[in-house]
Every structure is written in C-alpha cells, then in structure tokens.
Amino acid sequence: MKNLIYIILVISVLIISFIVYAFITPSVIQTEEKFGQINFKSLSGEYDLYWNNQYIGSVNEGENKTFFKLRAGTFALKVIRKSPIKDFFYEFNKNLTLLPNSEMVMEWEAGPTIESSSGVLKYFVQSAKPNIIINTYPNEASVYLDDQLVDKILPIENIKKEAIWLKVKYKEGVEEKTVLINTKFNGNISMIVEVYLYIQPFV
C-alpha cells in the first residue's frame, strides 16, 4: 500500500512538472523583454525624446546623451525641440527599428521645416546580408567614398576598412556632410544611415 501511494505521488509530481514546463515556462520566455539603446547628440537646441510613445528624457544644448534599456522593436521615435513658441520647430516623428543589444545614433538640429533641419541617424535592421544603406534628404544628393561617387547601397564584403568616411553632397545652397561609419558588423543585419542636409532658403 505504501509503495502504491509513493508511486502515485511520484507520478503526480511528474505530471505537475510537465504542466509547469509545457504551459508556464514558454509563456515566460515569450514575454521576455529585449532591449537596445539610443545615443542622441544635440547640434543646437534642447530636445525632448519619446520612444514607443513614452517620454525617455531630455537633451540639453550641445549635449551627447545615451538612453539605456529601451524596448527593442519597431516603434516611433519622436524628437521635439523645445521652444517658447508652440510648433515652431519641425517635429521628427518616424517609425524606426531598434534591434536587441544594438544602439541607434542620432545627431540633430531641428529647424522650422524638414528642409531647414540637419542631422544624421544610424540604426540597424535585419537583412539577408550586411550592407550600408544611405538614405539622403534631399533624395537627389550624391554619396562619395574617398572622393569617388558610390551607390547608396554598399556591401560590407566590398569594404576592407574598419571605418570609412562618407561625404554627402547635393548642390550650391545646400550643406555638405561627412559621416563616419563603423563597418565592424556582420551577420544578417544592415546599417541604415539617414543624412538630412540643411537647405538654405532663398538660394
């Protein structure tokens, strides 16, 4: 009789353990949060930053600040330049991807319009093979590597340096930008580089 009770207890424990493993443990794994970080540099002005519709902090004039442990995924990044006049400056608001354990980097100076704003934004996305993808504003701007005109999609496998300088130029009356790109990444990801050029008015 004692042996039977012992066997029943052992079987009961095994059944309960299986239920916990099969039903409870996977739900914990599925809801595990993954995080990345955003580094923001103010080229001019003070800013409030929002990620996934949540206020994450402010950046002072000329400050370079990193915001840690932000939820990874594709969410809206909103950057608002502080001003005593409401809606005077252009509000940067765009859905962007923050991969787990990665850093999104942005330097920014907001003007009253997107054309009068200036900055660079770098982040990673999932990709079949590693590339550097340059998106320019205005779109017609050209990209140069070592003073040679290049395509706006650069395969990492063709780049032998650990870091490169890209120059983005458009035409007279529009600023030029030189952007440092760290090429030490691989795997199934690509780096997106968005370059916003300031367009002088009345030119």
Side-chain angles (χ1 to χ4, degrees):
M1 186 66 179
K2 289 183 178 179
N3 289 338
L4 180 60
I5 293 174
Y6 176 77
I7 292 171
I8 292 173
L9 287 173
V10 170
I11 293 173
S12 298
V13 170
L14 290 174
I15 291 173
I16 292 171
S17 299
F18 175 78
I19 291 172
V20 170
Y21 178 80
F23 296 98
I24 298 177
T25 304
S27 66
V28 172
I29 293 174
Q30 290 169 6
T31 57
E32 181 183 354
E33 294 277 11
K34 295 184 181 297
F35 302 98
Q37 62 190 46
I38 296 176
N39 177 275
F40 185 90
K41 180 179 180 181
S42 164
L43 298 178
S44 180
E46 299 179 8
Y47 297 86
D48 287 330
L49 272 67
Y50 297 79
W51 177 248
N52 190 23
N53 295 317
Q54 300 293 321
Y55 171 75
I56 60 173
S58 61
V59 179
N60 296 322
E61 171 109 22
E63 184 180 16
N64 190 345
K65 191 173 183 179
T66 300
F67 301 92
F68 299 96
K69 206 171 182 181
L70 301 177
R71 185 180 175 191
T74 301
F75 303 107
L77 172 65
K78 181 161 62 175
V79 179
I80 302 174
R81 182 170 179 174
K82 297 180 181 181
S83 171
I85 304 174
K86 185 179 179 181
D87 299 327
F88 179 79
F89 290 107
Y90 171 78
E91 178 185 298
F92 184 93
N93 194 340
K94 186 174 183 178
N95 284 342
L96 298 169
T97 298
L98 181 63
L99 294 183
N101 304 312
S102 73
E103 182 178 63
M104 182 182 297
V105 177
M106 185 176 190
E107 57 180 50
W108 189 244
E109 178 179 357
T113 64
I114 182 63
E115 292 81 10
S116 59
S117 300
S118 174
V120 176
L121 172 64
K122 295 182 280 188
Y123 57 98
F124 293 97
V125 296
Q126 296 289 348
S127 175
K129 63 178 185 177
N131 296 312
I132 297 172
I133 301 169
I134 305 102
N135 297 324
T136 63
Y137 302 88
N139 182 61
E140 297 83 5
S142 299
V143 179
Y144 296 84
L145 172 61
D146 297 331
D147 295 324
Q148 297 295 317
L149 181 66
V150 294
D151 293 333
K152 291 184 179 179
I153 299 180
L154 301 174
I156 284 293
E157 62 187 8
N158 295 342
I159 300 174
K160 306 307 178 185
K161 300 177 182 178
E162 293 187 350
I164 58 174
W165 288 94
L166 296 178
K167 182 174 286 187
V168 181
K169 299 192 289 188
Y170 183 41
K171 61 181 182 181
E172 186 177 352
V174 179
E175 74 168 337
E176 298 179 2
K177 277 194 177 297
T178 303
V179 183
L180 177 62
I181 307 293
N182 187 335
T183 64
K184 291 195 298 182
F185 66 90
N186 50 41
N188 296 326
I189 59 172
S190 287
M191 178 188 289
I192 308 294
V193 182
E194 299 185 3
V195 182
Y196 296 80
L197 301 178
Y198 169 74
I199 301 175
Q200 297 180 29
F202 315 117
V203 174

